[in-house]
Amino acid sequence: MNRTQRQVIVSTRLGKIAEVARNHPGEALTTLSHHIDVELLYEAWRRTRKNGAVGIDGQTAAEYKQDLYENLKALCDRFHQGTYRAPAVRRVHIPKGKGKTRPIGIPTLEDKILQRAVAMVLDAVYEQDFEDCSYGFRPERSAHDALTQVRDSLMSMKGGYVIDMDISAFFDSLSHAKLREFLDHRVRDGVIRRMIDKWLKAGISEDGKLRFPEEGTPQGGVVSPILANVFLHHVLDKWFVDDVQPRMCGRTTLTRFADDAIIICEREDDLQRIMQVLSKRFARFSLKLHPDKTKVIAFQRPPYRKPQEGDEPDDRPDTFNFLGFTHFWARSRRGYWVVKQKTMSSRLSRGIVSIGEWCRNHRHRPITEQHRMLKRKLRGHYNYYGIIGNSRSIADYYHQVKRLWQKWLNRRAQGRHMPWDKFNLLLRRYPLPLPRIMHEAQT
């Protein structure tokens, strides 16, 4: 069976699961695990990143691929027989900015494959239930869709009152008991539910020590995003759509991407009513809003008048950050007030520092290798931050990359210096991608 045929079979199978879930809203599905066979595991393998960090067993994708079919068949048998044992997750910490780090869980390769397969089945079920306000880790949805939703809401309301929510340590404090209750509403297949329990109970290996947390799901696990979406669908999304919005006097919107969420209210009294119950709502499910990072912003459109000489800086509306972008009011080319989005200063600074460290550590590598990697980093930056209105920030990033590359090439061993005149000649042969707007949905 070739790759195309296998993909058609898997797509048809997942489509049937989605159809059953769509035709039986609110009903628990009890027979799902039989859809996870070798073909679906192969597709899960295809979607799994092959060059990622290895888990506690040290197995690489190249090693697993040597006997791929037999490995997948054995994995499938252990999954259905209930003999698969979820290995501990290796935890590492990645820089988060301001000297802080974010813990990331790294499962073994085989665990990633099985988690991916189960997540594909769960996605097919829950895509029929999730609200439109949810954007994180869902098919055909992205962070840019969420950013567009926020901007469009503010523009249509001509400004509003923003609740910028920050859930304290969400992935570490997610209640296993509450998650099981939420899963009971839609998924009661015994094999899949036992597998999810094994992942929730799998230990965390960190600095040579093994511990077994009683709550939370490790960030980095392939199945974690769908479990987080299920949890917050019941805690926040469905509650907001069914209970909050009908009781408001003005327009309100919720935009959520994973555990990052923004509520926009047209009226201040609606905002006050939501704030009175929001913390209590999260507390019911053992979650807590961060008291310092959760903010309320009066994001009102400025008046249609020219700035006066005596205006104080505080007369300008506040800004807020969401998904790596700072949102603020600015004049359009025609002179109208519009909501614009630019790269957060902390994200831009962090990215520049990261580029500097990379150039320093790799300055003795071949120029072709450095050029290839810097092109990849620049294109990745443009792919995310290249939106209308953010040209200045991505141009600044581009120029900083050039400056840092020249700086560290110029600091190589004696006789291999790279002054600017020589570097400009190098750029003709190895040009870096120019800043480019990749998302033009805004107007």
Side-chain angles (χ1 to χ4, degrees), residues 51-230:
N51 60 347
V54 298
I56 61 170
D57 63 352
Q59 187 176 50
T60 64
E63 295 169 348
Y64 197 82
K65 188 179 180 180
Q66 290 178 0
D67 200 3
L68 181 60
Y69 181 81
E70 291 300 324
N71 287 333
L72 293 179
K73 186 175 183 302
L75 175 61
C76 184
D77 292 340
R78 281 180 286 145
F79 167 70
H80 286 286
Q81 294 168 8
T83 58
Y84 181 84
R85 298 183 63 182
V89 174
R90 183 168 70 89
R91 171 165 286 187
V92 298
H93 293 263
I94 61 173
K96 188 180 178 181
K98 296 182 179 180
K100 298 181 180 179
T101 60
R102 181 191 300 275
I104 295 292
I106 303 176
T108 63
L109 177 68
E110 192 170 62
D111 211 40
K112 290 178 184 178
I113 297 170
L114 187 54
Q115 286 192 33
R116 177 79 63 187
V118 171
M120 289 162 64
V121 171
L122 295 179
D123 279 335
V125 174
Y126 281 101
E127 273 302 303
Q128 319 313 312
D129 299 351
F130 287 157
E131 304 290 345
D132 288 339
C133 59
S134 169
Y135 290 89
F137 307 105
R138 294 181 57 188
E140 309 299 328
R141 287 177 170 241
S142 69
H144 294 100
D145 295 326
L147 290 165
T148 299
Q149 165 69 17
V150 169
R151 182 182 183 277
D152 290 349
S153 297
L154 289 167
M155 290 294 292
S156 66
M157 296 181 192
K158 299 180 180 180
Y161 299 88
V162 177
I163 304 174
D164 181 4
M165 287 180 281
D166 186 282
I167 306 173
S168 297
F170 170 71
F171 283 93
D172 290 330
S173 58
L174 184 148
S175 168
H176 293 177
K178 293 296 183 182
L179 176 61
R180 293 186 184 101
E181 290 181 18
F182 295 149
L183 289 170
D184 283 342
H185 294 300
R186 282 303 252 163
V187 177
R188 292 186 186 173
D189 180 281
V191 176
I192 289 179
R193 290 297 300 274
R194 282 192 294 272
M195 194 64 254
I196 292 175
D197 278 342
K198 289 180 181 180
W199 284 321
L200 293 176
K201 296 176 182 178
I204 295 176
S205 176
E206 185 175 5
D207 297 328
K209 298 180 181 179
L210 187 63
R211 62 184 184 88
F212 298 89
E214 297 181 358
E215 58 185 15
T217 175
Q219 286 180 275
V222 180
V223 78
S224 293
I226 179 63
L227 297 181
N229 273 339
V230 170

Side-chain angles (χ1 to χ4, degrees), residues 171-443:
F171 283 93
D172 290 330
S173 58
L174 184 148
S175 168
H176 293 177
K178 293 296 183 182
L179 176 61
R180 293 186 184 101
E181 290 181 18
F182 295 149
L183 289 170
D184 283 342
H185 294 300
R186 282 303 252 163
V187 177
R188 292 186 186 173
D189 180 281
V191 176
I192 289 179
R193 290 297 300 274
R194 282 192 294 272
M195 194 64 254
I196 292 175
D197 278 342
K198 289 180 181 180
W199 284 321
L200 293 176
K201 296 176 182 178
I204 295 176
S205 176
E206 185 175 5
D207 297 328
K209 298 180 181 179
L210 187 63
R211 62 184 184 88
F212 298 89
E214 297 181 358
E215 58 185 15
T217 175
Q219 286 180 275
V222 180
V223 78
S224 293
I226 179 63
L227 297 181
N229 273 339
V230 170
F231 198 92
L232 288 175
H233 167 73
H234 288 277
V235 173
L236 182 60
D237 304 349
K238 196 171 187 302
W239 168 74
F240 186 84
V241 171
D242 294 346
D243 298 336
V244 175
Q245 283 185 316
R247 291 175 169 82
M248 298 295 103
C249 299
R251 288 177 291 175
T252 58
T253 62
L254 166 69
T255 305
R256 182 178 65 81
F257 190 94
D259 59 330
D260 292 323
I262 292 284
I263 293 177
I264 301 173
C265 301
E266 187 177 26
R267 296 168 52 122
E268 187 174 10
D269 55 344
D270 287 340
L271 174 134
Q272 298 298 336
R273 294 170 65 190
I274 293 174
M275 287 301 296
Q276 289 176 0
V277 299
L278 195 59
S279 294
K280 298 176 183 177
R281 175 67 183 180
F282 280 102
R284 282 185 55 190
F285 302 96
S286 304
L287 296 176
K288 182 181 179 182
L289 290 176
H290 196 290
D292 299 323
K293 296 182 179 180
T294 298
K295 301 177 182 178
V296 174
I297 301 100
F299 196 76
Q300 299 297 305
R301 186 180 67 182
Y304 280 103
R305 66 177 179 84
K306 293 183 178 180
Q308 303 297 314
E309 186 175 340
D311 284 351
E312 296 292 333
D314 291 342
D315 293 339
R316 299 184 62 186
D318 287 335
T319 64
F320 67 93
N321 299 321
F322 184 56
L323 299 181
F325 288 88
T326 296
H327 296 65
F328 62 101
W329 287 102
R331 295 275 190 181
S332 69
R333 292 182 178 179
R334 296 183 178 181
Y336 299 109
W337 285 109
V338 296
V339 177
K340 291 192 175 182
Q341 299 158 323
K342 66 178 182 180
T343 310
M344 286 172 53
S345 58
S346 60
R347 294 287 183 91
L348 183 59
S349 299
R350 190 194 311 173
I352 293 171
V353 169
S354 177
I355 286 289
E357 292 177 349
W358 189 91
C359 289
R360 181 189 62 193
N361 295 332
H362 296 80
R363 63 186 183 274
H364 296 296
R365 303 297 300 171
I367 294 295
T368 53
E369 180 181 326
Q370 294 186 47
H371 178 244
R372 182 172 61 252
M373 288 303 299
L374 288 175
K375 284 199 305 181
R376 185 179 302 175
K377 291 176 182 292
L378 279 166
R379 286 170 178 158
H381 189 86
Y382 301 156
N383 282 337
Y384 188 76
Y385 291 105
I387 65 173
I388 292 291
N390 197 33
S391 299
R392 182 176 298 179
S393 292
I394 61 174
D396 188 17
Y397 184 80
Y398 166 76
H399 290 298
Q400 291 294 337
V401 170
K402 283 203 308 181
R403 180 186 66 83
L404 289 166
W405 195 21
Q406 184 275 335
K407 171 185 174 180
W408 290 108
L409 286 179
N410 195 41
R411 293 191 180 186
R412 294 184 298 176
Q414 188 174 6
R416 301 176 64 197
H417 295 305
M418 186 69 64
W420 272 104
D421 54 349
K422 186 177 179 180
F423 180 72
N424 287 328
L425 292 175
L426 178 98
L427 285 179
R428 294 182 183 180
R429 183 175 180 183
Y430 300 101
L432 294 173
L434 294 172
R436 181 181 178 186
I437 298 300
M438 306 297 295
H439 307 277
E440 302 184 0
Q442 301 184 34
T443 57

